[in-house]
Amino acid sequence: MDFHAALGTERLVAIIRGQDAEASFRTVMTLAEAGIPLIEVSLSGAGALGVIRRARAELGDAAWLGAGTVLTAQDARDAADAGANLLVTPGLGAGAEESVRLGLPVLAGVLTPSEVIAADALGVTALKLFPAAVGGPAYLKALRAPFPGLPFVPVGGVDATAARAYLDAGAVAVGVGSPLIGDAADGGDLAGLRRRAAEFTAVCAG
């Protein structure tokens, strides 16, 4: 399944930004076991490249395992070397440009119409509307009017209620960090993570 198809089918990207590398790895594996196959590990978290490398070895080549907070060209190359097959940026710039050059799926951060036009021209795979909470679902709906065919993935402050509202407003998927992950990536409760994973999976399934 290509990334476009995976986004449209799953409609949920889990975002891990942990300060405990071992806990972050356990979080990746728990999410995968819970049936969430689109997982992003932020490079701003502790030992992120090592987490990606270990998770890739465990999950195999078919899993969608992304690197987030890709800011520089070196970030993109390092993430690809670690086994990431999805690169996620908070905005446009060298990280997004190198990610596209590498030929991997790219979820690039945008907020304004001008950034949407620039990202589409760059050839990114999907548009990470970030920080989505600035405008909420109403802003996404307004933004989709001039760009009806582009795949938007709102990220930032997306809880279960907001996830449903964004999907209803036309998002192809949502990206969810702390409302889903909680404290799991910092050594917290995995049972709670499993409960939240089931909740978000149900919401995003419609």
Side-chain angles (χ1 to χ4, degrees):
M1 185 181 292
D2 68 20
F3 183 60
H4 269 303
L7 271 181
T9 299
E10 304 298 337
R11 307 212 295 173
L12 174 63
V13 180
I15 303 168
I16 297 168
R17 180 180 287 106
Q19 297 311 308
D20 180 325
E22 187 63 34
S24 294
F25 172 73
R26 290 195 300 269
T27 299
V28 173
M29 301 308 297
T30 300
L31 289 168
E33 291 162 8
I36 296 178
L38 297 173
I39 301 170
E40 168 194 337
V41 179
S42 172
L43 296 184
S44 63
L49 292 173
V51 172
I52 293 169
R53 191 171 286 109
R54 286 181 65 193
R56 173 61 65 207
E58 289 290 329
L59 295 172
D61 293 337
W64 285 109
L65 186 59
T69 322
V70 174
L71 297 175
T72 68
Q74 192 62 52
D75 285 342
R77 291 189 292 268
D78 289 345
D81 287 345
N85 58 355
L86 165 65
L87 300 177
V88 185
T89 74
L92 302 178
E97 291 164 6
E98 181 67 6
S99 297
V100 170
R101 192 194 70 77
L102 290 170
L104 292 171
V106 183
L107 181 54
V110 299
L111 186 61
T112 68
S114 294
E115 291 168 348
V116 171
I117 292 168
D120 189 42
L122 181 60
V124 305
T125 315
L127 303 165
K128 170 183 169 178
L129 184 61
F130 177 78
V134 168
Y139 180 67
L140 170 63
K141 187 175 181 179
L143 195 59
R144 287 191 69 246
F147 306 110
L150 296 183
F152 287 96
V153 181
V155 176
V158 180
D159 60 14
T161 300
R164 182 71 262 164
Y166 282 119
L167 292 168
D168 288 346
V172 66
V174 292
V176 184
S178 57
L180 168 59
I181 305 304
D183 63 356
D186 297 318
D189 180 24
L190 293 179
L193 174 62
R194 293 186 188 96
R195 288 193 298 271
R196 292 187 297 273
E199 177 188 11
F200 273 97
T201 299
V203 166
C204 293

